[in-house]
Amino acid sequence: MTIRAVVFDVYGTLVRIGERRAPFRALLARMEAAGRARQAGDAATIMSRRLDLADAAALLGADLSASELAALEGELQAELASVRLFPDTLGVLQALAGRGLKLGLCSNLAAPYAAPVLALLPPLDAYAWSFEVGAIKPEPAIYAHVCRELGCEPAQVLMVGDTPEADLHGPRRFGMRSLLLRREGARLGDEAADPISDLGGVLEALDVP
């Protein structure tokens, strides 16, 4: 079946964080230090609901002072301000759109991380933010959402991202096609996946000049 749409993961694929502060992770670490053991589903809870830092702290039962919460919020804002596009992002998106392909995003992230991405990228055809869908990759619901938004069958959609389970194997199990991206400096692994090293590999895979 012909590919009609390309869907991208976001962080590590289209954009990067220049100054990593990991404030949500720091929130969980502070809660753990205070005696609340981390739960396996904590990250999924944060990424599958529209929560800011204060909301997440309240939902998870964090007992933080106003100054502690303000410090974490400062870390978050510094991290968000450092988000930048990879050099190949816009050129590849433009090339794909120029061939009539629909474009979308499918990303696991906490709600505050969507805004800088939307500010940096042109409008696309579909968005599957985990905090809006209520599901995280590799759960089928998030892939189903983006395919519906695109108006495509799963087999007509190519997923591209840098995480093997979320962006390669999960989409394939759902019936989509997929490519694993391994940018320079990224941790190696899943060598059998034959990863691409930059977004230009998407054009090559689709035989787009």
Side-chain angles (χ1 to χ4, degrees), residues 3-4 32 49 51 54 68 81 87 91 102-103 115-116 122 127 163 202:
I3 295 293
R4 295 179 51 215
E32 188 173 24
R49 304 184 187 197
L51 305 172
E68 288 176 314
K102 294 183 177 181
L103 301 174
Y127 300 89
T163 305
V202 179

Side-chain angles (χ1 to χ4, degrees), residues 111-172:
Y113 290 84
V117 177
L118 293 172
L120 291 168
L121 292 177
L124 303 179
D125 300 294
Y127 300 89
W129 306 116
S130 58
F131 64 86
E132 288 187 341
V133 178
I136 63 171
K137 298 181 293 184
E139 295 172 4
I142 195 166
Y143 306 126
H145 178 90
V146 77
C147 289
R148 283 196 303 271
E149 290 262 311
L150 291 165
C152 294
E153 296 296 323
Q156 297 174 317
V157 180
L158 174 67
M159 177 81 204
V160 181
D162 66 332
T163 305
E165 183 60 23
D167 302 320
L168 181 75
H169 304 308
R172 288 185 182 180

Side-chain angles (χ1 to χ4, degrees), residues 58-132:
L59 180 66
L60 296 175
D63 185 17
L64 297 180
S65 68
S67 61
E68 288 176 314
L69 189 58
L72 287 175
E73 183 63 32
E75 295 289 281
L76 173 62
Q77 294 308 314
E79 189 169 76
L80 297 179
S82 76
V83 174
R84 299 289 184 272
L85 295 173
F86 283 107
D88 55 358
T89 295
L90 290 181
V92 169
L93 293 180
Q94 290 166 358
L96 294 170
R99 292 295 298 250
L101 290 164
K102 294 183 177 181
L103 301 174
L105 304 179
C106 184
S107 184
N108 291 346
L109 75 175
Y113 290 84
V117 177
L118 293 172
L120 291 168
L121 292 177
L124 303 179
D125 300 294
Y127 300 89
W129 306 116
S130 58
F131 64 86
E132 288 187 341

Side-chain angles (χ1 to χ4, degrees), residues 7 39 48 65 91 99-100 131 141 154 166 173 181 190-191 198:
V7 173
Q39 306 297 316
S48 62
S65 68
R99 292 295 298 250
F131 64 86
R173 287 195 296 269
L181 174 67
D190 212 71
E191 288 84 356
D198 56 47

Side-chain angles (χ1 to χ4, degrees), residues 8 12-14 86-89 92-93 96 158 160-162 179-186 194-205:
F8 293 91
T13 300
L14 300 181
F86 283 107
D88 55 358
T89 295
V92 169
L93 293 180
L96 294 170
L158 174 67
V160 181
D162 66 332
L179 283 174
L180 183 67
L181 174 67
R182 277 284 180 259
R183 289 190 178 276
E184 183 178 357
D194 191 23
I196 58 176
S197 60
D198 56 47
L199 293 181
V202 179
L203 302 180
E204 296 173 6

